[in-house]
Amino acid sequence: MSVTNFIFKWTLRIIQPKEAKRMEQDGPIALPKLRGAMPADTEYVFIDDQGADTTVFAYSGMDALFAGRARYEFKRIFRSLSVPCNLVCFRDPRTTSFHLSLDGKSPGIDFYAEKTREIMAQLGATYNIALGSSSGGMSAFTFATMCNMDKVVGFSPAFPHTVYRGWNHYLQSLFNFRTLLREPQAYVEVLIVTIAVVWLEDVALKRMALDPPIGVWDAWGIYESAGDTRPPATVYYGVRSPADSRQALRLAEAFPDHIHLEPLDTARHNCPAVLLQQNKLIEVLDREVSAVAMSGKSNSEEGPLLP
């Protein structure tokens, strides 16, 4: 193990021991591999085909499955819902928020969108829902729009990234001593998200050996360009998390006919973990999935919206 990977692993174990333990379930903790192809047997998608008429596509955020649940537990959660559904879990083994494909030569947005379409066709469900937390929420918005899904369920979706940039946000996050004292987990989460955004934009994307170079997805532009065919979305966010609140309100103001907000009384960025602690996560997921499955309306029947 390299010195940098050693430092990264133990730093994560110290400041986020639970998340580190969960990430190690998918392999050794290491800095993202930004160049070269991944091994041919790299696992990046898990499919639980229940033969159902509804499929939920879950996109990981920074290599952690939704709410940090282990795969078997995640599957158990969805099998407990009142509406039968297939489950598809996408993870990014490079931990670059799906920005780089497995071959290391092409943008990840094209690769993962195509894989999503292939699985949609394979499962043949009438209703398709995308969900994700943090950068996984941004991915859910992006791929649901590109693949013409029926609904997005986003938990503190990390876009537009501009809310995490700028000295006002940096100082507000660093010197938010009230949150540090009252909700230290929330304080750490916001700092980690801020660092992750800066790292992705200013370091990772510049080190990827792609020609031409790529930038952060314009998830906002993709969603906006879909017009009236954009999938409706429910956004859960912490009302005492300034950046997440700004993101949620901007989405609702820009797309009032498509965005429904569900504010949570927390300063944490990881809203699914909050709902899990309150024993409300299954209730929320059941409500969201059931609403789509019983709506009688499907965008998916019209086929993919964007190439």
Side-chain angles (χ1 to χ4, degrees):
M1 177 182 292
S2 69
V3 174
T4 53
N5 281 337
F6 179 83
I7 294 173
F8 175 70
K9 179 180 73 173
W10 281 101
T11 299
L12 190 62
R13 282 180 173 178
I14 291 171
I15 65 175
Q16 287 283 71
K18 292 183 179 179
E19 293 301 322
K21 184 177 181 180
R22 291 164 184 159
M23 289 177 67
E24 286 180 315
Q25 293 171 349
D26 285 320
I29 295 176
L31 286 169
K33 183 179 180 181
L34 302 177
R35 297 189 179 188
M38 299 293 290
D41 61 349
T42 298
E43 187 177 11
Y44 64 92
V45 63
F46 165 74
I47 302 174
D48 183 29
D49 184 359
Q50 293 294 302
D53 203 31
T54 301
T55 298
V56 175
F57 289 82
Y59 296 91
S60 69
M62 295 306 290
D63 201 37
L65 280 179
F66 183 71
R69 300 298 92 193
R71 179 186 302 164
Y72 70 89
E73 188 176 355
F74 196 50
K75 182 170 67 175
R76 178 186 61 78
I77 287 175
F78 277 88
R79 286 191 175 183
S80 69
L81 303 186
S82 62
V83 175
C85 62
N86 312 309
L87 176 64
V88 179
C89 296
F90 274 98
R91 60 178 289 265
D92 177 10
R94 293 186 185 274
T95 63
T96 59
S97 301
F98 300 102
H99 275 70
L100 184 62
S101 65
L102 298 186
D103 64 12
K105 300 178 181 179
S106 56
I109 190 170
D110 301 323
F111 173 82
Y112 289 104
E114 182 59 31
K115 292 301 178 183
T116 296
R117 294 188 189 102
E118 289 177 4
I119 295 172
M120 287 175 67
Q122 172 188 330
L123 296 177
T126 301
Y127 307 102
N128 294 280
I129 303 165
L131 65 84
S133 179
S134 190
S135 64
M138 177 184 72
S139 301
F141 265 90
T142 300
F143 295 126
T145 305
M146 294 180 70
C147 300
N148 212 25
M149 293 191 196
D150 301 290
K151 180 69 181 286
V152 178
V153 183
F155 297 83
S156 302
F159 82 100
H161 277 183
T162 50
V163 301
Y164 285 103
R165 302 305 302 258
W167 284 105
N168 286 341
H169 171 72
Y170 300 154
L171 295 174
Q172 184 182 46
S173 301
L174 186 62
F175 296 106
N176 191 352
F177 297 128
R178 182 175 182 178
T179 298
L180 175 61
L181 295 174
R182 294 187 175 186
E183 298 180 76
Q185 183 70 23
Y187 178 86
V188 171
E189 285 177 0
V190 171
L191 282 183
I192 289 177
V193 173
T194 301
I195 293 170
V197 168
V198 173
W199 175 84
L200 177 65
E201 292 188 356
D202 296 350
V203 179
L205 295 178
K206 293 179 180 179
R207 291 183 180 177
M208 294 177 187
L210 296 184
D211 187 21
I214 64 172
V216 175
W217 302 339
D218 183 13
W220 185 285
I222 291 172
Y223 192 66
E224 183 177 43
S225 67
D228 291 337
T229 62
R230 69 176 68 95
T234 301
V235 175
Y236 292 80
Y237 67 100
V239 293
R240 287 184 280 109
S241 175
D244 292 337
S245 294
R246 287 196 296 271
Q247 283 180 320
L249 293 174
R250 285 185 62 180
L251 280 167
E253 290 170 1
F255 312 107
D257 295 333
H258 294 85
I259 301 294
H260 172 71
L261 299 183
E262 287 285 352
L264 302 178
D265 185 21
T266 182
R268 293 191 62 178
H269 178 71
N270 191 349
C271 290
V274 173
L275 291 169
L276 191 67
Q277 291 174 349
Q278 297 174 347
N279 293 318
K280 294 181 178 179
L281 181 58
I282 292 179
E283 174 189 336
V284 165
L285 294 175
D286 189 68
R287 181 174 66 241
E288 296 292 350
V289 174
S290 297
V292 175
M294 297 178 181
S295 67
K297 300 178 182 179
S298 172
N299 289 336
S300 307
E301 295 176 349
E302 300 176 7
L305 175 65
L306 300 175

